[in-house]
């Protein structure tokens, strides 16, 4: 199963909206007969790759798969049919598929047809390699990561709004890597005004770029910003119903898709549903403080990546991350689990998960 996980990870961040999956066919004396992984949406599933070179598998062969085989027709036929056709007798599965279309049906179907199925081997690891898929397939909403670069005293900018750069070059490079791991990147209007961010992954050799998203209730954003003028990827603006028709038309003319909510400032949840329908399975929110606070207040975030520098800003009027959460009791504050800490030159990168998530 460890080998199957390694294979699955080869396609990490390249299979959306599908999960990453690895499969290994092992012979009776423990030798690897064949293996495979799912490379991208529309390409053969891991089980198909691993089984394709066999007319039928040897009697004593065991197939290891990180995720329950699918039992429904999608872009490709169900893997359960192929497993039966190739006469696999023993199947070891890492974790059940949370997809409501599968969710145990694949396992039941195989057992009913005489396959000996064992589940839950390296279960946590097999589940955690698909955090994005596990979230979006169940909730129909993107996996949401918050990213912020902060000072030692938790500030995201000077009192003047100046924030470039709080952290060092290595942290910023990791920030770009995070961008490449998400299908879209979002900022609030004030960040667009202060920083004019490019919202691209600028590491050497990078080709495809994420979708760029700006939250601005009335759509009033600087027309000379890079968001408006750099047309290399899709751009989406999330606005409220107070947006003036001429502002909306002007943005559309610039090639920006404008999603207009049901209120003067639509809920984060509403925006996420719209983004999901537009094909976004994972979203990186890069600030600022006010947008991050909204996301946390609405309990919409799954993950937090904090880049912590050794600088002290030391100003009561400088913005902290997140902005105002308005919680009065310590018992009610969000409590994240800190998953890991990395040293990046003089900075630290903290990766945390919001605890409310049970599907991780
Ligand atoms: N260090 C870092 O990592 C980092 C990252 C980003 C930004 N920054 C800094 O942060 C500062 C900007 O942060 P900020 O807190 O002032 O503003 P912000 O969060 O960037 O933008 C807030 C604005 O977003 C719009 N918005 C639309 N929908 C929203 C929603 N559901 N919830 C919240 N806002 C929504 C609102 O404008 P409308 O009312 O017009 O809709 C609101 O005023 C700048 O100084 C920037 O340099 C630092």
């Amino acid at each position: 199963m460890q080998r199957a996980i390694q294979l699955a990870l080869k396609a990490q961040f390249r299979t959306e909206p599908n999960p990453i999956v690895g499969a290994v066919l092992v012979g009776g004396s423990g030798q690897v007969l064949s293996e495979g992984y799912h490379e991208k949406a529309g390409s053969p599933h891991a089980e198909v790759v691993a089984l394709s070179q066999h007319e039928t598998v040897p009697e004593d062969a065991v197939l290891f798969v990180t995720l329950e085989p699918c039992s429904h027709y999608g872009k490709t036929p169900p893997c359960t049919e192929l497993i039966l056709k190739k006469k696999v007798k023993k199947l070891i599965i890492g974790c059940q598929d949370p997809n409501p279309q599968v969710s145990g049906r694949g396992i039941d179907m195989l057992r009913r047809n005489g396959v000996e199925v064992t589940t839950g081997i390296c279960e946590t690891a097999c589940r955690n390699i698909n955090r994005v898929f596990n979230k979006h397939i169940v909730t129909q909403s993107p996996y949401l990561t918050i990213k912020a670069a902060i000072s030692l005293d938790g500030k995201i900018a000077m009192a003047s709004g100046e924030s470039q750069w709080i952290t060092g070059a290595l942290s910023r490079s990791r920030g770009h890597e995070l961008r490449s791991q998400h299908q879209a990147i979002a900022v609030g209007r004030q960040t667009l005004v202060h920083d004019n961010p490019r919202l691209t992954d600028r590491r050497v050799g990078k080709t495809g770029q994420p979708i760029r998203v700006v939250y601005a209730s009335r759509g009033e954003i600087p027309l000379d910003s890079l968001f408006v003028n750099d047309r290399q990827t899709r751009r989406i603006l999330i606005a409220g119903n107070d947006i003036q028709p001429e502002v909306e038309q002007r943005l559309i003319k610039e090639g920006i898709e404008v999603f207009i909510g049901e209120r003067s400032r639509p809920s984060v949840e509403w925006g996420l549903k719209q983004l999901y329908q537009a094909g976004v399975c994972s979203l990186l929110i890069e600030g600022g403080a006010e947008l991050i606070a909204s996301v946390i207040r609405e309990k919409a975030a799954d993950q937090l990546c904090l880049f912590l520098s050794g600088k002290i800003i030391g100003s009561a009027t400088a913005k902290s991350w997140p902005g105002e959460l308005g919680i009065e009791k310590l018992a009610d504050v969000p409590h994240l689990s800190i998953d890991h800490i990395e040293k990046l030159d003089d900075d630290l990168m903290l990766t945390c998960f919001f605890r409310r998530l049970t599907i991780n």
Side-chain angles (χ1 to χ4, degrees):
M1 193 59 85
Q2 296 289 355
R3 175 65 188 149
I5 293 171
Q6 274 177 0
L7 289 166
L9 287 169
K10 286 187 176 190
Q12 202 175 23
F13 310 118
R14 288 195 274 119
T15 58
E16 275 102 3
N18 289 356
I20 56 168
V21 188
V24 181
L25 186 71
V26 178
S29 50
Q31 77 282 24
V32 171
L33 299 174
S34 56
E35 54 185 30
Y37 64 96
H38 179 49
E39 267 186 71
K40 58 177 198 281
S43 73
H45 289 184
E47 304 89 315
V48 177
V49 180
L51 295 175
S52 59
Q53 49 191 285
H54 307 273
E55 195 55 45
T56 57
V57 306
E59 183 91 357
D60 56 359
V62 181
L63 180 64
F64 288 78
V65 197
T66 54
L67 187 72
E68 174 184 6
C70 65
S71 52
H72 63 292
Y73 280 86
K75 283 190 179 127
T76 55
C79 290
T80 46
E81 280 183 10
L82 184 78
I83 288 169
L84 294 174
K85 189 172 151 216
K86 300 280 179 171
K87 303 209 181 313
V88 174
K89 301 271 182 316
K90 259 191 171 182
L91 177 68
I92 314 258
I93 295 173
C95 65
Q96 192 169 308
D97 188 341
N99 182 351
Q101 283 188 294
V102 186
S103 194
R105 288 189 186 86
I107 295 170
D108 286 350
M109 197 265 196
L110 291 166
R111 281 191 177 139
R112 275 200 313 274
N113 284 278
V115 180
E116 185 187 325
V117 183
T118 305
T119 60
I121 302 301
C122 303
E123 188 170 16
T124 306
C126 288
R127 208 171 33 233
N128 284 349
I129 59 174
N130 277 310
R131 288 181 198 275
V132 169
F133 174 77
N134 297 344
K135 161 81 187 289
H136 85 73
I137 204 69
V138 172
T139 62
Q140 305 287 294
S141 188
Y143 185 85
L144 197 157
T145 306
I146 295 170
K147 180 219 138 183
I150 63 169
S151 62
L152 211 47
D153 50 339
K155 305 291 182 182
I156 59 157
M158 300 296 291
S160 64
E162 180 191 355
S163 68
Q164 291 168 338
W165 303 104
I166 291 178
T167 48
L170 192 55
S171 292
R172 298 206 297 280
S173 172
R174 284 302 299 273
H176 285 185
E177 195 181 326
L178 266 184
R179 287 178 174 178
S180 74
Q181 295 169 355
H182 291 77
Q183 289 183 307
I185 310 171
V187 291
R189 189 178 74 87
Q190 296 294 350
T191 296
L192 189 74
V193 170
H194 278 278
D195 300 351
N196 192 17
R198 265 184 243 167
L199 303 176
T200 52
D201 171 11
R202 293 192 290 286
R203 287 169 309 142
V204 179
K206 181 66 202 158
T207 46
Q209 292 290 348
I211 297 169
R212 288 165 288 158
V213 181
V214 168
Y215 285 79
S217 310
R218 288 175 304 282
E220 288 162 354
I221 57 169
L223 292 175
D224 60 355
S225 60
L226 288 163
F227 176 75
V228 174
N229 292 293
D230 174 358
R231 293 170 172 246
Q232 63 174 308
T233 55
R234 260 176 97 179
R235 290 153 300 150
I236 295 172
L237 185 131
I238 297 185
N241 58 10
D242 281 346
I243 186 172
Q244 295 299 310
E246 57 277 15
V247 174
E248 182 192 354
Q249 283 315 312
R250 180 67 214 263
L251 294 170
I252 291 171
K253 208 169 135 223
E254 296 289 350
I256 296 167
E257 296 164 61
V258 183
F259 296 172
I260 301 176
E262 75 294 1
R263 309 200 304 235
S264 56
R265 180 185 279 186
S267 67
V268 170
E269 199 54 42
W270 179 86
L272 291 176
K273 293 280 178 198
Q274 304 309 303
L275 289 173
Y276 191 66
Q277 278 167 27
V280 175
C281 296
S282 55
L283 177 70
L284 181 67
I285 293 220
E286 292 206 2
E290 201 181 330
L291 182 58
I292 291 176
S294 291
V295 168
I296 296 179
R297 274 198 308 268
E298 285 196 37
K299 298 185 169 55
D302 300 296
Q303 185 175 332
L304 168 71
C305 293
L306 271 188
F307 293 88
L308 178 67
S309 92
K311 293 175 186 153
I312 298 174
I313 288 181
S315 154
T317 50
K319 292 210 165 188
S320 301
W321 96 274
E324 186 57 49
L325 294 182
I327 302 170
E328 285 176 8
K329 290 194 200 136
L330 188 57
D332 297 336
V333 301
H335 187 174
L336 284 71
S337 59
I338 301 176
D339 193 69
H340 58 273
I341 302 175
E342 232 178 292
K343 182 103 168 75
L344 300 172
D345 287 342
D346 290 341
D347 304 330
L348 290 182
M349 178 185 174
L350 273 66
T351 303
C352 317
F353 295 102
F354 283 80
R355 288 192 166 184
R356 65 178 181 82
L357 257 195
T358 51
I359 48 175
N360 266 341

